[in-house]
Amino acid sequence: MALQASSRSLQQRRAFSSAQTSKRVSVTKVRATAIEAENYVKQAPQTLVRPGIDTEDSMRARFEKVIRNAQDSICNAISEIDGKPFHQDAWTRPGGGGGISRVLQDGNVWEKAGVNVSVVYGTMPPEAYRAATGNAERLKNTGDGGRVPFFAAGISSVMHPRNPHCPTMHFNYRYFETEEWNGIPGQWWFGGGTDITPSYVVPEDMKHFHGTYKAVCDRHDPAYYEKFRTWCDEYFLIKHRGERRGLGGIFFDDLNDRNPEDILKFSTDAVNNVVEAYCPIVKKHMNDPFTAQEKEWQQIRRGRYVEFNLVYDRGTTFGLKTGGRIESILMSMPQTASWLYDHQPKAGSPEAELLDACRNPRVWV
């Protein structure tokens, strides 16, 4: 009996070992496939749109030019403040397009700052299409048959400073097209916005940030700022917490209600004002003294940032569902964050004021 039991045990161990080996081989194949999906190149191509098809005067090519110029100017401004350059990875995608990822890590001012550009096209599963747009009407009665032909170009950035008195900042501007699918005509729309996530409330800083974007909005449509400010507060709500990720900014999506030329001009103006809205605040506070308690509070707020990005952010969902580059998709994550059990800031404290502002959005300008 003991010998039979020992024999069965040996067989079980062998079977388990074989299964584990098979699993490792399978995982290795998956990883290899993922790596093969990205062709890293030493130098970014002059253009990532379709050569010979998307001409220079097409919206696709013009939007790519806007976001690549913005990537250059914003990275230059951040590097000048930090004193450290960005690391760049350029890649192409066999299915169509590619991207340029730039990350500054372990800097003097920023623990982590990334500015990514991507231009991708091909086909995507219907669930990715649904993740890409918040317009449910567009997707009624479409079913799940086939794959949706699409084009997507965008610039995305998140910057996490070291000093808890310097705010985290995020921006994203994108242009999207689909071709006819399941009876739905081809679509196009713009989306994006810039928002700010401080650990402490400094009204003058918020007036500067929001004031910059109100001026941008007013140059294009006086109704934009109120509409997009409110949209931002609604979008960045962490529903399971009942609080916003930060103190807002502007946000818009599915914008195609007017001439695309006008929306392109607005998007260009908005992305070109990221430096003006954000950098003066960082310069003002990057050398402020801070305590261990203030650093801990920053870590807790970063935890909220992670929760929103992984649970609710449509850009993250779209990237994962279309097999996007994982390092680029998760570039928005901070290097470190904290989740303390049932942490409650002391009533009347600066930390409690920030929490109140996240729960009850304020009008800054």
Side-chain angles (χ1 to χ4, degrees):
M1 291 289 291
L3 180 60
Q4 290 176 344
S6 176
S7 176
R8 283 197 300 270
S9 177
L10 178 59
Q11 291 173 350
Q12 289 169 350
R13 286 199 301 272
R14 285 174 174 169
F16 177 78
S17 176
S18 176
Q20 291 298 98
T21 300
S22 176
K23 184 184 291 185
R24 283 195 296 271
V25 170
S26 184
V27 169
T28 300
K29 287 181 178 178
V30 170
R31 286 176 178 165
T33 301
I35 291 170
E36 289 169 1
E38 301 161 4
N39 297 324
Y40 289 89
V41 293
K42 292 183 179 179
Q43 187 172 354
Q46 186 174 358
T47 181
L48 293 163
V49 298
R50 297 175 298 180
I53 299 176
D54 299 318
T55 59
E56 289 186 5
D57 60 348
S58 69
M59 185 58 71
R60 295 183 177 197
R62 291 166 63 198
F63 191 80
E64 182 200 19
K65 185 176 180 181
V66 167
I67 59 179
R68 290 184 67 165
N69 287 342
Q71 184 183 43
D72 289 342
S73 61
I74 293 168
C75 287
N76 288 341
I78 296 302
S79 288
E80 184 177 350
I81 295 171
D82 190 274
K84 185 174 181 178
F86 280 76
H87 167 79
Q88 174 172 298
D89 284 323
W91 50 277
T92 58
R93 180 173 171 266
I100 305 164
S101 299
R102 293 180 185 169
V103 176
L104 189 160
Q105 194 159 274
D106 294 321
N108 299 303
V109 177
W110 283 274
E111 288 185 8
K112 188 179 180 186
V115 186
N116 292 340
V117 159
S118 64
V119 178
V120 296
Y121 47 87
T123 63
M124 62 182 172
E127 61 267 24
Y129 184 21
R130 295 186 178 95
T133 175
N135 189 341
E137 290 297 320
R138 184 182 294 155
L139 304 173
K140 279 186 176 180
N141 305 317
T142 57
D144 292 317
R147 293 175 65 86
V148 187
F150 80 99
F151 170 90
I155 182 170
S156 181
S157 172
V158 177
M159 300 187 183
H160 296 287
R162 291 187 178 280
N163 194 309
H165 296 292
C166 290
T168 286
M169 185 272 301
H170 158 261
F171 70 86
N172 174 284
Y173 292 91
R174 56 195 176 274
Y175 174 69
F176 208 98
E177 286 184 13
T178 62
E179 298 175 18
E180 190 278 334
W181 170 71
N182 272 13
I184 302 178
Q187 308 279 339
W188 63 265
W189 64 91
F190 292 81
T194 307
D195 63 280
I196 197 159
T197 305
S199 298
Y200 291 94
V201 178
V202 182
E204 300 78 27
D205 295 345
M206 295 304 97
K207 289 177 182 178
H208 170 80
F209 180 84
H210 281 267
T212 300
Y213 275 100
K214 184 178 186 304
V216 170
C217 289
D218 289 350
R219 285 195 286 271
H220 300 270
D221 187 331
Y224 268 176
Y225 177 71
E226 178 63 24
K227 178 181 179 181
F228 296 159
R229 177 191 64 79
T230 302
W231 201 340
C232 185
D233 289 335
E234 292 173 351
Y235 179 77
F236 289 107
L237 174 65
I238 306 172
K239 298 179 181 67
H240 59 272
R241 297 280 188 182
E243 63 190 59
R244 277 76 190 165
R245 187 177 74 178
L247 300 187
I250 62 168
F251 177 84
F252 61 95
D253 210 353
D254 303 303
L255 195 61
N256 62 357
D257 62 345
R258 61 196 68 191
N259 190 310
E261 296 290 334
D262 295 335
I263 307 176
L264 176 65
K265 290 177 182 177
F266 168 64
S267 298
T268 303
D269 199 4
V271 74
N272 286 345
N273 271 276
V274 165
V275 171
E276 170 57 29
Y278 179 56
C279 288
I281 299 173
V282 173
K283 289 179 181 179
K284 178 181 174 183
H285 296 290
M286 66 186 194
N287 295 316
D288 286 0
F290 59 88
T291 66
Q293 178 187 353
E294 291 169 335
K295 186 65 179 179
E296 180 182 72
W297 176 244
Q298 181 194 46
Q299 296 289 91
I300 293 170
R301 295 312 304 175
R302 284 179 176 177
R304 299 291 200 268
Y305 210 95
V306 172
E307 288 179 26
F308 177 85
N309 281 28
L310 292 182
V311 178
Y312 299 112
D313 186 72
R314 285 215 306 267
T316 301
T317 303
F318 172 75
L320 294 175
K321 287 184 180 295
T322 54
R325 182 175 183 264
I326 297 301
E327 291 302 320
S328 298
I329 297 167
L330 298 183
M331 174 272 297
S332 63
M333 297 296 107
Q335 279 189 304
T336 57
S338 294
W339 286 266
L340 300 185
Y341 180 76
D342 196 26
H343 181 272
Q344 301 293 334
K346 183 179 179 181
S349 67
E351 291 79 11
E353 183 184 8
L354 185 280
L355 192 56
D356 177 74
C358 290
R359 290 173 175 169
N360 303 289
R362 302 177 185 180
V363 178
W364 300 102
V365 292

